[in-house]
Amino acid sequence: MNTTPHTVDVAAATPYRIHIGPNLLDDGSWLARTLRGRQALLVSDANVAPLYAGRVEAALQAAGPGLRIARHVIAAGETEKTLANFSGTIDALAALGATRDACVFALGGGVVGDLAGFAAACWMRGIDIVQLPTTLLAMVDSSVGGKTAVDIPQGKNLVGAFHVPRAVLADTATLRTLPARELRAGLAEVIKYGAIVDADFLHWLDAHRDALLGGDDAALAQAIARSCAHKAAITTRDPLEHGDRALLNFGHTFGHAIEAEQGYGDGLNHGEAVAVGMLLAARLSATLGLASRADAEALRTLLQRFELPVDVPAGLTPEALLARMRLDKKAQASGLRFILWNGPGAARIVADVEEGAVLAVLRAEG
Ligand SMILES: NC(=O)c1ccc[n+]([C@@H]2O[C@H](COP(=O)([O-])OP(=O)(O)OC[C@H]3O[C@@H](n4cnc5c(N)ncnc54)[C@H](O)[C@@H]3O)[C@@H](O)[C@H]2O)c1
């Protein structure tokens, strides 16, 4: 397979480009091209910074000798996507003396990307953010589309802003240090794109499973580029999630309920919860006559072939999960809203889903 970098152009109101390929983090000239001013804040976490922050800083410094660079490192994990860490990032921008043309570089997974993106969205009402995603999930999902947020005790991503990146640079070589479990979690989001808009992609993924799970650069870059192209197309059509963008939440209503109910930090991670959630959404679709049972079970087989979980973790009751879903942002005043499925490559938004059907699907699990 070809290993030249892929690019995906996102035709947002402010257009930007996604670059995907191995060792792109060492390309100082590319990093420097994204800079407008003389200050850069590199935000990362305690796992990623020791591995890659020095390289990014060296590449930036070589390309922009007059540049002032500061590094801000948070502890790793979803429990760190907090208002306190948002505040710490703002303090780091203040200490740097960041002006309106300063740039934040988010080096890490979705936690760092969402937190740093939100800080960039708020500092002086919005400065540049360049996303340097280092997890597969961040490469195919969180770094693209401009959603930024932090969590509060009442729920995930409840405080945030839309703020599109100036550019995204996905260095696939960073995936070599990513724990295998995190790689698989990212593959759940990749499968999601196939499920909602691209049936052929599902076949391609199945055929390239060994290469993808084995961390093959070329296969991963291709899967990332195709996923980003889908996310770009959907978010360009509907940047603020008034319609179609919600399709990207396939599996997320169930997934978020699982994540919230088990408590962040333990149990399934985001991608794994989405894997279980997609299967539950497919089964709910079958129960409502929108998709065939055979298609739902074929999705289960594919998820299992990618070594992803397909069962609700023990101890989470259907009633408790339903209560969580009622609180979900995607629930409307009138009732539960789900992204349901019409089979491979076809999803739709359905409002007022009967709670009884949701409970039946969850109870059939146990
Ligand atoms: N903004 C959006 O549109 C959007 C979309 C999807 C998900 N998200 C958010 O993304 C977050 C999940 O992101 P995630 O799955 O990337 O989690 P994460 O950022 O917590 O990263 C997972 C783990 O991998 C480590 N890690 C990251 N890159 C590494 C590397 N290359 N080598 C070794 N270790 C590495 C991290 O330190 C962390 O421990 C959630 O908060 C979710 O809400 C946002």
Side-chain angles (χ1 to χ4, degrees), residues 43-51 53 72-77 80 107-109 111-112 134:
V43 181
S44 193
D45 76 21
N47 293 335
V48 178
L51 295 170
H72 181 66
V73 178
I74 61 165
E80 300 298 325
L107 176 71
V111 166
V112 165
T134 62

Side-chain angles (χ1 to χ4, degrees), residues 81-139:
K81 215 173 92 175
T82 57
L83 280 171
N85 276 329
F86 164 80
S87 182
T89 310
I90 293 294
D91 289 345
L93 282 163
L96 180 65
T99 47
R100 272 180 204 289
D101 54 5
C103 185
V104 175
F105 288 86
L107 176 71
V111 166
V112 165
D114 278 11
L115 175 84
F118 185 41
C122 295
W123 181 253
M124 295 191 168
R125 301 194 183 86
I127 60 169
D128 286 344
I129 173 86
V130 171
Q131 295 282 353
L132 306 175
T134 62
T135 65
L136 182 58
L137 183 135
M139 291 180 188

Side-chain angles (χ1 to χ4, degrees), residues 27-59:
D27 186 347
S29 63
W30 183 90
L31 286 168
R33 273 202 299 280
T34 65
L35 282 167
R36 285 197 259 238
R38 302 183 74 77
Q39 302 114 7
L41 180 71
L42 183 68
V43 181
S44 193
D45 76 21
N47 293 335
V48 178
L51 295 170
Y52 304 111
R55 270 168 58 189
V56 174
E57 285 162 357

